[in-house]
């Protein structure tokens, strides 16, 4: 069980955040849980300070690992000010809105959005659909979708959906407790949910839905956290792990090169590589990983936008993406949707980028002798023509910078 007093309080905070998520569509209960969360979140660091006698060189550790990380964080400043207002003046001023927006790229800045009341939501969806079908070329509408959501926003924090803000605040408290556990040669209690677990619940409980314009199908996003205690690592990958053990990683280039060795060994062992996205900390160490299976281009837009929200929650400083990709020819096919352009090749690619705008990419051409044979990789090649951040990761890079 969580035996450290600050970890017990963090566990309490996780339960309150779960209650916020569960009562998202019950205004009075959500208000009560929001107030309790903001009041409780502040006490995690209070309790750490209260127990400073049990923490060696406390003042130096606390200044570097807690104060330094939180002092310039505008969201944490909002949390502190909101707690003071709740305790001394009353509830936060909040409003609930319903919105429908037309999306056709990786960037939210390019969306067309209607914010309205619940009763007018269906009207907004119809307006966006008519706009898309009349004004946009087929090459865009094939991958476009309409996102429908209801959201709570605080007047003093207009750029954040509240549940996303609370999950990010929890992540900062979790990070402080995790660093303290590591400092004390321990690890944080397994009873305490990680920010990733609670972020999955947030996405589910908010009931955001998506309508794809190519066939008007309605979809939602589902997260599943899988654990396998009996997973056996193949000998070929163990050998690579032995070779890489002790490698120092100081920048995104070295992080990509390190992971490229594992990605190559994985593909050679299995004949394929699932799409994976790693979130890294300031030392280029992984703090979370998501695998994904998009069915079409719209799914890719949705995934990378949600990855951006996850990056903000985690406070990630860099990412690495590994995926297989079709190479398509756009010559004489510019008017067609991407999915209808002819396939001229196949690659395995690993791409990394960080908040400093440093990036690095390595790829392999995938060759198949025939449909039944096991595919093989050509020699790895550094993608020297990549001179700026790849477009699809821009939402995540922008998100990481916004909380840096």
């Amino acid at each position: 069980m969580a035996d450290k007093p600050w970890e017990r309080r963090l566990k309490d905070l996780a339960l309150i955040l779960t209650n916020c998520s569960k009562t998202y569509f019950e205004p009075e209960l959500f208000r009560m849980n929001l107030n309790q969360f903001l009041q409780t979140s502040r006490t995690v660091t209070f309790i750490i300070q209260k127990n400073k006698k049990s923490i060696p060189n406390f003042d130096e550790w606390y200044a570097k690992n807690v104060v330094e990380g939180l002092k310039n964080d505008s969201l944490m400043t909002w949390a502190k000010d909101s707690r003071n207002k709740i305790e001394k003046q009353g509830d936060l001023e909040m409003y609930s809105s319903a919105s429908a927006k037309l999306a056709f790229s990786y960037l939210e800045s390019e969306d067309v959005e209607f914010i309205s009341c619940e009763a007018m939501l269906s009207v907004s969806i119809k307006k966006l659909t008519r706009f898309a079908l009349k004004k946009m070329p087929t090459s865009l509408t094939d991958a476009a979708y309409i996102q429908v959501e209801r959201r709570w926003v605080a007047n003093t924090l207009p750029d954040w959906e509240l549940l996303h803000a609370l999950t990010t605040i929890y992540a900062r408290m979790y990070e402080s407790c995790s660093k303290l556990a590591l400092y004390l040669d321990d690890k944080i209690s397994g009873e305490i949910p990680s920010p990733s677990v609670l972020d999955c619940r947030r996405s589910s409980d908010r009931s955001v839905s998506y309508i794809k314009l190519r066939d008007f199908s309605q979809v939602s996003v589902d997260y599943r956290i899988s654990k396998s205690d009996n997973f056996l690592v193949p000998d070929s990958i163990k050998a690579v792990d032995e070779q890489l053990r002790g490698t120092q990683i100081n920048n995104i280039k070295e992080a990509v090169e390190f992971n490229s060795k594992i990605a190559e060994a994985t593909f050679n062992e299995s004949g394929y590589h699932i799409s994976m996205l790693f979130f890294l900390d300031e030392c280029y160490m992984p703090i979370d990983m998501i695998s994904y299976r998009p069915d079409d281009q719209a799914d890719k837009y949705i995934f990378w936008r949600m990855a951006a929200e996850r990056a903000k929650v985690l406070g990630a400083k860099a990412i690495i993406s590994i995926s297989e990709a079709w190479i398509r020819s756009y010559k004489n096919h510019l008017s067609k949707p991407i999915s209808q352009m002819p396939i001229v090749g196949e690659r395995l690619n690993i791409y990394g980028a960080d908040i400093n705008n440093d990036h690095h990419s390595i790829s392999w051409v995938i060759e198949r002798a025939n449909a039944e044979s096991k595919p093989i990789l050509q020699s790895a090649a550094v993608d020297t023509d990549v001179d700026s951040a790849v477009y699809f990761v821009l939402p995540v890079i922008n998100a990481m910078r916004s909380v840096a």
Side-chain angles (χ1 to χ4, degrees):
M1 62 176 291
D3 57 351
K4 305 289 193 303
W6 52 86
E7 289 190 6
R8 286 198 298 270
R9 186 55 52 87
L10 182 65
K11 185 179 178 182
D12 294 342
L13 190 65
L15 178 60
I16 300 168
L17 179 55
T18 299
N19 290 338
C20 287
S21 186
K22 288 180 178 179
T23 58
Y24 195 77
F25 295 106
E26 301 177 62
E28 190 62 16
L29 290 177
F30 181 73
R31 177 192 65 80
M32 294 168 60
N33 287 318
L34 170 68
N35 289 349
Q36 187 181 8
F37 178 91
L38 291 171
Q39 291 171 298
T40 303
S41 65
R42 185 72 173 153
T43 64
V44 175
T45 50
F46 286 167
I47 292 174
I48 292 176
Q49 294 175 69
K50 178 71 174 176
N51 290 270
K52 64 181 181 180
K53 290 183 179 180
S54 64
I55 303 171
N57 301 314
F58 173 80
D59 291 338
E60 180 182 352
W61 177 87
Y62 191 80
K64 180 180 179 181
N65 292 277
V66 180
V67 176
E68 187 66 27
L70 301 181
K71 68 179 181 180
N72 295 320
D73 191 320
S74 59
L75 179 61
M76 298 307 296
T77 299
W78 173 83
K80 180 185 69 175
D81 294 342
S82 297
R83 166 187 170 271
N84 292 337
K85 180 175 182 179
I86 290 168
E87 291 185 342
K88 300 173 184 178
Q89 300 178 36
D91 296 335
L92 298 179
E93 293 183 18
M94 301 186 301
Y95 62 91
S96 174
S97 67
S99 70
K101 62 182 179 182
L102 174 66
F104 47 88
S105 79
Y106 291 101
L107 301 178
E108 288 191 21
S109 59
E110 299 176 351
D111 293 349
V112 180
E113 182 173 17
F114 286 119
I115 299 177
S116 63
C117 62
E118 184 79 22
M120 296 295 292
L121 194 56
S122 61
V123 176
S124 297
I125 295 171
K126 290 177 182 177
K127 285 183 178 179
L128 286 174
T129 303
R130 286 198 298 269
F131 171 84
L133 297 179
K134 287 183 178 180
K135 302 292 185 180
M136 293 172 61
T138 305
S139 58
L140 288 181
T141 56
D142 183 74
Y145 63 91
I146 294 174
Q147 177 175 322
V148 183
E149 65 176 319
R150 296 121 179 114
R151 51 192 282 146
W152 281 105
V153 179
N155 289 0
T156 50
L157 196 69
D159 296 331
W160 284 79
E161 182 275 319
L162 268 175
L163 203 54
H164 187 200
L166 300 187
T167 306
T168 305
I169 292 166
Y170 174 81
R172 301 295 177 268
M173 295 296 98
Y174 185 95
E175 181 182 16
S176 295
C177 292
S178 185
K179 286 181 176 179
L180 181 52
L182 185 64
Y183 179 67
L184 298 175
D185 293 324
D186 199 355
K187 60 182 180 180
I188 196 166
S189 171
E191 295 182 354
I192 302 173
S194 71
S196 297
V197 171
L198 295 180
D199 192 45
C200 293
R201 293 176 185 169
R202 173 185 70 86
S203 300
S204 175
D205 290 339
R206 284 186 57 226
S207 302
V208 180
S209 60
Y210 307 89
I211 302 169
K212 295 182 180 180
L213 292 187
R214 65 186 302 180
D215 57 8
F216 295 101
S217 60
Q218 183 166 329
V219 298
S220 59
V221 177
D222 180 38
Y223 282 102
R224 295 184 182 181
I225 299 175
S226 301
K227 292 184 179 181
S228 178
D229 297 330
N230 299 317
F231 179 73
L232 297 177
V233 179
D235 291 339
S236 60
I237 298 177
K238 286 182 180 178
V240 174
D241 179 66
E242 288 292 333
Q243 295 171 10
L244 295 174
R245 191 161 296 176
T247 302
Q248 295 295 315
I249 299 176
N250 302 300
N251 52 54
I252 193 62
K253 180 177 180 291
E254 293 175 356
V256 169
E257 289 173 346
F258 178 93
N259 284 277
S260 72
K261 306 297 184 185
I262 302 173
E264 184 176 31
T266 300
F267 187 97
N268 288 335
E269 175 69 30
S270 306
Y272 68 95
H273 201 300
I274 62 174
S275 297
M276 305 174 75
L277 176 64
F278 293 88
F279 299 91
L280 312 178
D281 63 16
E282 63 275 7
C283 297
Y284 298 94
M285 297 299 291
I287 51 178
D288 196 18
M289 185 277 288
I290 306 175
S291 62
Y292 57 102
R293 295 176 59 185
D295 289 331
D296 52 32
Q297 189 63 36
D299 283 355
K300 294 177 183 178
Y301 294 155
I302 294 168
F303 170 78
W304 283 100
R305 292 180 180 212
M306 296 191 72
E309 293 190 353
R310 175 67 64 88
K312 289 179 74 171
V313 167
L314 297 171
K317 300 299 186 292
I319 57 166
I320 287 180
S321 168
I322 306 173
S323 63
E324 295 182 28
W326 297 116
I327 308 301
R328 297 179 183 271
S329 173
Y330 61 84
K331 188 176 181 179
N332 300 323
H333 300 284
L334 287 175
S335 63
K336 294 181 179 179
I338 294 176
S339 61
Q340 295 178 20
M341 293 180 181
I343 297 171
V344 295
E346 190 178 0
R347 286 179 181 268
L348 173 66
N349 178 262
I350 175 169
Y351 174 82
D354 62 21
I355 59 173
N356 301 316
N357 202 33
D358 293 325
H359 47 87
H360 192 64
S361 179
I362 296 174
S363 64
W364 302 257
V365 171
I366 300 174
E367 289 189 339
R368 302 175 187 269
N370 53 61
E372 288 75 32
S373 63
K374 184 177 180 179
I376 60 173
L377 298 178
Q378 289 188 358
S379 298
V382 175
D383 298 322
T384 56
D385 58 338
V386 180
D387 57 2
S388 61
V390 174
Y391 186 58
F392 66 83
V393 304
L394 283 178
V396 183
I397 293 175
N398 292 339
M400 293 191 297
R401 287 176 178 167
S402 72
V403 294

